[in-house]
Amino acid sequence: SVPDRYGFLQRVFQRYLRMDLSACPTYLEATDLTSIDQIIGEIDSFDEGQRPRLLILLDQFHRARLAFNQVQKAIHLRICIENMFVQDGEKEQLASKVKFRGAPFLDVSKTAMERIYDNLSSAVHRGQLRPGTRDRPHEIEAFVQTAICQILEKGTYPNWSE
């Protein structure tokens, strides 16, 4: 059972916390609550202006992790990538911004970042993944997770105008 201070998790995320994949439901352990406390603390450290953006990022990543359909997973991951590497109001040259900002942030080549973004874009615009691509959505999750962890550790989004 979940202690009172985590009641909001029980109500809001009940279907995720106790995914009945077997005969016995899964319950939170003390170590899980410690991790939750740490993440909540990291979220609370964000400026109030950035917190809604961060919650969208975390929600979309969570949806990507739960998606069985690879196209849906790719769409959620693209939302995550744009959330991290494109600032509000930027409407032009999104692929270029993602490539030039995302590559150094994730320590990958610009070519790899462009390939990842193009594959995710194919899911958004064509409803299918590019055939023969090396970067599958479940592999792209690792890149997105790394970036989210970096943002959480810094307690702020990068300032791309600098």
Side-chain angles (χ1 to χ4, degrees):
S1 125
V2 177
D4 288 341
R5 71 176 184 272
Y6 299 103
F8 73 98
L9 292 174
Q10 185 83 6
R11 288 188 305 277
V12 177
F13 299 110
Q14 185 173 20
R15 64 187 169 147
Y16 305 127
L17 292 174
R18 289 192 289 151
M19 296 186 348
D20 298 322
L21 301 176
S22 65
C24 301
T26 303
Y27 294 97
L28 292 172
E29 301 290 330
T31 57
D32 298 319
L33 298 179
T34 301
S35 295
I36 290 168
D37 269 342
Q38 179 184 349
I39 291 169
I40 290 172
E42 290 172 349
I43 292 169
D44 282 343
S45 74
F46 273 72
D47 177 80
E48 283 188 33
Q50 288 186 344
R51 208 169 296 144
R53 179 179 173 190
L54 177 65
L55 293 176
I56 290 169
L57 172 63
L58 296 175
D59 178 61
Q60 289 299 316
F61 185 67
H62 183 71
R63 290 171 189 255
R65 296 293 303 260
L66 292 176
F68 290 111
N69 179 298
Q70 294 299 293
V71 171
Q72 283 299 313
K73 182 182 290 291
I75 290 169
H76 292 298
L77 291 172
R78 174 161 164 193
I79 293 169
C80 290
I81 285 175
E82 287 187 5
N83 176 290
M84 292 182 289
F85 303 122
V86 178
Q87 293 185 81
D88 190 29
E90 293 180 326
K91 300 189 184 326
E92 309 262 338
Q93 306 286 326
L94 297 184
S96 177
K97 286 178 173 74
V98 166
K99 176 173 72 171
F100 285 101
R101 294 171 179 170
F105 193 79
L106 293 170
D107 199 28
V108 297
S109 71
K110 290 178 181 139
T111 303
M113 195 70 216
E114 183 174 37
R115 191 177 62 240
I116 288 168
Y117 189 75
D118 287 348
N119 192 27
L120 298 178
S121 294
S122 179
V124 169
H125 298 292
R126 293 183 195 85
Q128 61 186 6
L129 299 171
R130 287 185 17 216
T133 185
R134 296 188 301 205
D135 306 300
R136 307 306 299 166
H138 67 275
E139 295 162 343
I140 296 169
E141 277 182 26
F143 286 110
V144 173
Q145 183 175 354
T146 298
I148 290 171
C149 288
Q150 287 179 23
I151 289 170
L152 284 171
E153 285 172 13
K154 291 180 180 174
T156 187
Y157 276 83
N159 184 351
W160 300 117
S161 12
E162 294 178 346

